[in-house]
């Protein structure tokens, strides 16, 4: 019954965009990844070690496996619809979407593919919508939702004439339109040995992608000794959504969150809003930006980005992050010994303490 109630609450919310007025303009371009997947006043997440899709509702703070059957033991991937949806699940327009990556032998060559699927909000009715044979959307990579379009990178592996995988990979930026059900290649990001990407997010109408690669393939001796491994080269690109241009970004950017671009400068963090204003806060630790505050949970301090005031944080968890604001409360996320998400809802009046002296 709990599962049905959770699914019903998702249905009422209806859309992948954030529609919670208490969040103001935040989360307009949410990140979708294996570690963060906030939507509809809650979060989709994958549990360990079963890799089942779950949803936690931040209003009720109840979690449920995405499955319509109250008698299902949720242990059979062939009968329970919570399985097989770990690759970028997202709720949009009253449907659950997700991706599947595959490597297959076709017409004498090995092909890396990515397919888009939809399902009902209870996980049933899985249907393949479209696919592309130009690379894989890895489940551990990041994507960003801007309006009704999801942006992400595909990775295409190289293979020799015997079908053996080489170390060379090609990275390309793609988009998927929910409205048009269309996968589109936008730009070639780069090609190199052990190439990878880290999509930071969207800021000022541009998609920021960190591209990394090695110029030489590690030798067997270098593989055995990490200190000898060739260094990664890194290039930060930004793709302009309007004109389709791809350019290098000279700045060193560590993150993009809820309309803020984040940079590190020694023991300080610089946050820039979309009006171009920079705010410097005295912490070199990672922060999360929620409801106009930058939260440094490592040092248990919050910074009001409008006034510059600092507040102490009353946190029970030793390691956690503040991820959402709802009902005049903040949601903190931590992990248990198995790596599963643990959520705690803390009233703003209880979380925010006195200004440190």
């Amino acid at each position: 019954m709990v599962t049905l109630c959770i699914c019903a609450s998702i249905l009422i919310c209806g859309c992948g965009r954030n529609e919670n007025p208490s969040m103001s303009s935040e989360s307009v371009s949410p990140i979708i990844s294996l570690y963060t997947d906030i939507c509809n006043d809650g979060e989709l997440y994958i549990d360990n070690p079963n890799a089942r899709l779950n949803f936690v509702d931040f209003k009720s703070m109840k979690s449920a496996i995405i499955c319509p059957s109250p008698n299902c033991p949720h242990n059979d991937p062939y009968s329970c619809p919570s399985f097989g949806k770990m690759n970028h699940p997202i709720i949009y327009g009253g449907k659950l979407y997700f991706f599947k990556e595959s490597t297959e032998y076709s017409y004498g060559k090995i092909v890396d593919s990515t397919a888009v699927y939809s399902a009902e909000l209870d996980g049933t009715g899985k249907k393949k919508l479209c696919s592309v044979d130009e690379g894989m959307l890895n489940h551990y990579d990041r994507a960003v939702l801007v309006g009704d379009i999801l942006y992400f990178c595909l990775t295409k592996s190289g293979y020799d004439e015997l079908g053996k995988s080489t170390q060379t990979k090609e990275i390309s930026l793609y988009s998927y339109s929910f409205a048009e059900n269309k996968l589109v290649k936008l730009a070639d990001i780069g090609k190199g040995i052990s190439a990878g990407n880290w999509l930071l997010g969207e800021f000022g109408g541009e998609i920021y992608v960190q591209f990394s690669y090695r110029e030489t393939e590690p030798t067997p001796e270098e593989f055995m000794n990490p200190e000898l491994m060739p260094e990664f080269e890194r290039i930060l690109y930004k793709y302009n959504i309007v004109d389709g241009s791809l350019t290098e970004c000279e700045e060193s950017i560590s993150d993009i969150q809820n309309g803020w671009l984040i940079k590190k400068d020694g023991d300080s963090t610089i946050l820039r809003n979309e009006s171009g204003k920079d705010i410097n806060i005295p912490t070199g630790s990672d922060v999360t930006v929620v409801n106009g505050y930058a939260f440094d949970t490592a040092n248990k301090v919050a910074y009001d980005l409008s006034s510059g005031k600092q507040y102490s944080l009353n946190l029970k968890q030793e390691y956690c992050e503040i991820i959402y604001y709802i009902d005049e409360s903040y949601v903190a996320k931590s992990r248990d010994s198995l790596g599963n998400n643990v959520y705690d809802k803390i009233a703003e009046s209880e979380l925010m303490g006195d200004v440190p002296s």
Side-chain angles (χ1 to χ4, degrees):
M1 187 61 69
V2 174
T3 303
L4 296 177
C5 291
I6 293 291
C7 289
S9 71
I10 299 174
L11 277 166
I12 293 172
C13 293
C15 178
R17 302 187 188 98
N18 175 55
E19 295 181 345
N20 178 16
S22 67
M23 294 292 287
S24 63
S25 61
E26 293 186 342
S27 297
V28 290
S29 298
I31 290 292
I32 310 297
S33 77
L34 190 60
Y35 307 102
T36 179
D37 200 342
I38 295 174
C39 60
N40 299 73
D41 289 335
E43 184 166 38
L44 290 164
Y45 65 95
I46 303 298
D47 62 15
N48 289 317
N50 300 295
R52 300 170 300 193
L53 183 60
N54 293 248
F55 181 79
V56 56
D57 176 49
F58 292 154
K59 288 184 174 292
S60 66
M61 294 305 292
K62 292 181 179 179
S63 298
I65 294 172
I66 301 297
C67 175
S69 175
N71 299 318
C72 179
H74 312 303
N75 58 10
D76 184 357
Y78 296 100
S79 62
C80 180
S82 66
F83 289 90
K85 297 177 174 64
M86 69 181 301
N87 194 330
H88 295 81
I90 180 172
I91 297 165
Y92 193 92
K95 293 282 187 179
L96 174 65
Y97 291 81
F98 57 97
F99 293 74
K100 282 187 177 292
E101 77 275 31
S102 64
T103 300
E104 299 177 351
Y105 192 79
S106 177
Y107 296 102
K109 63 178 182 178
I110 297 177
V111 177
D112 292 330
S113 300
T114 296
V116 184
Y117 285 78
S118 71
E120 300 302 321
L121 294 177
D122 60 6
T124 62
K126 182 177 73 172
K127 181 170 62 173
K128 183 177 179 179
L129 301 177
C130 61
S131 64
V132 62
D133 294 335
E134 291 298 323
M136 295 194 298
L137 171 56
N138 296 306
H139 70 275
Y140 49 78
D141 285 334
R142 289 159 54 107
V144 62
L145 179 65
V146 183
D148 68 348
I149 298 178
L150 191 69
Y151 295 88
F152 49 87
C153 288
L154 296 187
T155 301
K156 185 177 182 180
S157 298
Y159 301 93
D160 62 21
E161 63 277 3
L162 299 177
K164 182 181 178 181
S165 176
T166 68
Q167 296 296 315
T168 302
K169 299 180 185 295
E170 298 178 48
I171 309 297
S172 302
L173 181 65
Y174 271 75
S175 69
Y176 173 72
S177 169
F178 291 93
E180 299 179 3
N181 183 32
K182 183 183 296 185
L183 281 163
V184 177
K185 182 178 180 179
L186 303 174
D188 292 314
I189 298 297
K191 180 180 181 180
I193 297 169
S194 302
N197 77 92
W198 185 257
L199 194 151
L200 278 77
E202 180 270 337
F203 182 80
E206 294 181 304
I207 307 297
Y208 285 73
V209 179
Q210 182 79 58
F211 172 65
S212 62
Y213 68 100
R214 287 191 173 107
E215 291 186 339
T216 59
E217 184 174 347
T219 65
E221 291 77 14
E222 290 170 334
F223 268 116
M224 296 298 293
N225 188 344
E227 294 183 358
L228 299 177
M229 289 287 280
E231 294 290 331
F232 276 98
E233 302 292 329
R234 303 182 191 279
I235 305 173
L236 180 61
Y237 289 104
K238 52 184 181 179
Y239 172 82
N240 188 292
I241 294 174
V242 174
D243 64 25
S245 62
L246 182 73
T247 58
E248 287 191 33
C249 178
E250 300 300 326
E251 289 187 285
S252 178
I253 299 169
S254 61
D255 203 359
I256 295 173
Q257 294 183 28
N258 298 329
W260 292 86
L261 184 148
I262 302 175
K263 301 170 59 179
K264 294 293 180 65
D265 184 15
D267 293 330
S268 298
T269 297
I270 301 170
L271 297 100
R272 178 180 302 160
N273 63 22
E274 293 195 344
S275 298
K277 180 181 179 181
D278 285 355
I279 298 174
N280 192 305
I281 59 176
T283 178
S285 299
D286 292 335
V287 299
T288 55
V289 182
V290 179
N291 193 40
Y293 290 86
F295 289 91
D296 173 5
T297 55
N299 295 300
K300 297 187 177 181
V301 179
Y303 302 88
D304 186 336
L305 297 178
S306 60
S307 68
K309 293 182 179 180
Q310 301 179 29
Y311 297 89
S312 63
L313 296 177
N314 301 312
L315 293 169
K316 301 175 185 177
Q317 308 94 328
E318 185 175 358
Y319 303 103
C320 70
E321 59 179 340
I322 305 300
I323 62 170
Y324 205 68
Y325 178 73
I326 189 172
D327 299 335
E328 298 183 349
S329 300
Y330 289 93
V331 177
K333 181 168 73 172
S334 57
R335 297 186 183 275
D336 63 17
S337 59
L338 294 176
N340 285 303
N341 293 349
V342 177
Y343 300 91
D344 188 22
K345 192 174 183 179
I346 311 168
E348 185 171 15
S349 59
E350 296 177 8
L351 176 65
M352 312 286 277
D354 296 331
V355 178
S357 58

